[in-house]
Structures are given as structure tokens and as C-alpha cells.
Amino acid sequence: MRVLVTGGAGFIGSHLVERLLGEGHAVRVLDDFSTGRRENLASAKPGAALEVVTGDIRDARAVASAVAGVEAIFHEAALVSVPRSVESPEISCDINAHGTARVFDAARRAGIRRLVFASSAAVYGETARGPVSEREPVRPLSPYGVDKLYTEHLAALYHALYGVETVPLRYFNVFGPRQDPSSAYSGVISIFVSRLLAGDPITIHGDGKQTRDFVYVADVVEANMRAMFSPYPGPSPLNVARGDHTTLNALATMLGEILGVTPQIIGGPARAGDIRHSVADITAIRSALGYEPKWTVASGLKALVTSLRPV
Ligand code: UD2
């Protein structure tokens, strides 16, 4: 198949590109390289099967030409940060809502069959302590969550009105190699691992008892492949997670054990827009796509650490 991966030079996108190329698909990447990096595609040299196009999803022309000639789209490009969206809601809206709308519309115009895209657990907002299913009410606490929710509604509309097979995947907290640790907005695991490897202290915001459902990137790629290549599951969002929770304190302890260090922990203020508890019910994706997470948090952390510090 000829597929487009927006954000294909980013953390999750680049793993998806690798898998697609490995399975013989022809891939075009659209990335503005604001956070995506060419090195992320180093193992996949541009050639007959891989084309890399520099462009912004907010630019309708760039999107239209990236979509030309492909059969299907994985849309991963985003401003990926809850706190960034709290600081700059208009930028999140431009990229995550309007940019995604541009991608959807280019897909409609080009007659794309299926479009699988990244939504987020951030749409739920605060939930009860137990696993959250897709049927729970959604009350996002951040602009990022609102923007992702908008794209889910738009996806359902594009399916109903125009017949595009849209599949929203609600990613929980994805981690793995190539997640960029360099900013205060980076995913917590990438920050903790890079700081602990450098012998630096880590900051835990709040009391560290908040929970997250950390899922290894290879499982997220698997969910995407199933969402694209299975019979159409419909436009309802599907949770992508392990279905298990880890507190931030437990995460710090686990990482210390894997790295053989005692983490120095600095207590920081709880973050605005932060969710207290987040754990997924993955019954829907199990039954719709036969998805089963293969990586535990510990095995994923070990793989991540090995990729950064070969033994
Ligand atoms: C949200 C989404 C996730 C994804 C991500 C994109 C939820 C539940 N998850 O992740 O699906 O879309 O956004 O960015 O909405 N923390 C520290 N110290 C640090 C950094 C973070 O304690 O140095 C805490 C942070 O306060 C939070 C947790 O770690 O409680 C996870 O933070 P994160 O930024 O990795 O991801 P999160 O949950 O905002």
C-alpha cells in the first residue's frame, strides 16, 4: 500500500514508518521537523519505498500535495504536550485542531479510504480511579485534550458525511526510544531516563501518587497497524494502552532499579492541567482489533535503557 505518515519523523511516527517499510509498504512522510528529526529515520534510507517531504499540516497546499497518490493516512503530527497547550492554547488549536482538519479535508478530497490518527487519553480529563472505557463521559482539562476531542468528533463526521474510514486512537502515555527528553514538555519517562543516566536529580510534580497507563511504542505501532489493516472497526475512538496503572513514585523506583541508581527526587508543584489518575479499559480495542499489549512497563523501560546505553 502507499501510505502517508504525518509526523513520520517524530517519536511514534518514525517507529510506525519503520514497521510499514519492513512490511513492504511505500511510505511518504510529511513532517515540519519542528520536533521531528531526520535521525529518527536513519535506519530507513529515503529511496524507492520512502519519501520524506518537509511541510506543515497547517499549510493546506503542502497537505494536499502530500496526500496525492496515497491510499491511506496515519496522522501522527501534533503539538505533543499538555503543558505547552496550557501555555499557548492558540498554537495547540492551530496545529492539533485546525492542522488535523486540514489533513482530514485533504483526505476527503483525494478519496482516501482510511485515516488512522492519534487522539489522546487527555480527552477524558479527571476520571474515577478505575479503568476508563471509551463510553465514559469526556471532560478535557487542557486545550490539548479539547483539541484532540474536536478531531474525534470531526472524524465521526467525515465518516458519516463523506465515507472516509476514520479511526481515532486514544493513546495513553506512550514511551520508548526516540522520545525527545530535551524540553520541560517532554514525556516523563524520557526526562527521567535521561536525567538519571546523567546522574541528575528528577522532579516529581505533586505527590507522585498520580497514576498513568504507560504503553511501549511497539505496542502503539501494533495498534496502528491493526487499525489500518483490519476490517473497518468504525469511527468510534479506541483506547491504546496497557490497561494497567503505575504511579510516578513507582516509576521512579523501577527506573532506579533498572539503572542501578538511587534516584534523587526533587518535589515540584503539581502541574496545571494535569490529570490525577489515568488508566485504560482496553476491552474495546481487544475485541475490535484483537490488540493485546506485549510489553510490560518494566520490559519497555529495559529496552529503552538498552537503546540509550548499550550493554
Ligand atoms: C498526556 C496524555 C498522553 C499524551 C501526552 C502528550 C493523559 C493522561 N495523558 O500525558 O496521552 O497525549 O499528554 O504529551 O492526559 N511529570 C513529573 N516530572 C516531570 C515530567 C512530568 O512529575 O519531569 C509528571 C506530570 O506532572 C504528569 C506525569 O508525570 O503527572 C506524566 O506527564 P507527561 O508530560 O509525561 O504526560 P501527560 O500525562 O501529561
Side-chain angles (χ1 to χ4, degrees), residues 33-259:
F33 292 95
S34 55
T35 53
R37 307 171 72 185
R38 297 214 176 253
E39 304 89 273
N40 288 346
L41 294 169
S43 71
K45 295 270 171 286
L50 174 65
E51 185 189 352
V52 180
V53 178
T54 303
D56 190 317
I57 56 166
R58 290 168 291 184
D59 175 352
R61 263 208 224 158
V63 175
S65 76
V67 165
V70 305
E71 294 155 75
I73 301 175
F74 291 97
H75 173 48
E76 308 298 315
L79 180 82
V80 189
S81 169
V82 168
R84 265 218 79 189
S85 82
V86 171
E87 276 167 31
S88 308
E90 76 293 357
I91 300 178
S92 174
C93 183
D94 267 3
I95 298 173
N96 297 330
H98 297 155
T100 296
R102 297 256 147 75
V103 175
F104 286 6
D105 210 57
R108 168 178 78 91
R109 288 170 191 277
I112 296 296
R113 187 177 62 80
R114 191 170 298 183
L115 194 157
V116 175
F117 70 99
S119 182
S120 168
V123 301
Y124 290 115
E126 210 54 77
T127 57
R129 219 190 157 107
V132 57
S133 91
E134 296 83 348
R135 291 186 306 278
E136 289 295 309
V138 283
R139 287 188 212 92
L141 294 180
S142 61
Y144 179 82
V146 168
D147 296 332
K148 289 287 184 179
L149 185 57
Y150 164 78
T151 64
E152 291 185 357
H153 287 295
L154 202 62
L157 210 59
Y158 268 65
H159 179 247
L161 292 178
Y162 312 118
V164 184
E165 294 180 353
T166 48
V167 187
L169 296 179
R170 285 184 182 161
Y171 297 167
F172 280 63
N173 286 64
V174 188
F175 72 100
R178 301 189 200 134
Q179 191 170 27
D180 182 5
S182 63
S183 113
Y185 307 119
S186 303
V188 66
I189 290 183
S190 66
I191 296 176
F192 280 9
V193 172
S194 76
R195 296 193 69 83
L196 291 173
L197 280 172
D200 292 332
I202 57 176
T203 302
I204 291 187
H205 296 296
D207 62 6
K209 291 182 183 155
Q210 66 265 48
T211 56
R212 290 295 184 271
D213 194 331
F214 293 108
V215 55
Y216 191 60
V217 65
D219 282 332
V220 175
V221 168
E222 179 64 28
N224 272 277
M225 297 298 281
R226 285 171 183 261
M228 182 60 81
F229 297 107
S230 304
Y232 185 49
S236 300
L238 295 169
N239 288 342
V240 178
R242 272 189 46 69
D244 202 3
H245 69 274
T246 306
T247 65
L248 265 275
N249 290 332
L251 174 70
T253 305
M254 214 187 299
L255 265 174
E257 281 164 10
I258 290 168
L259 292 166

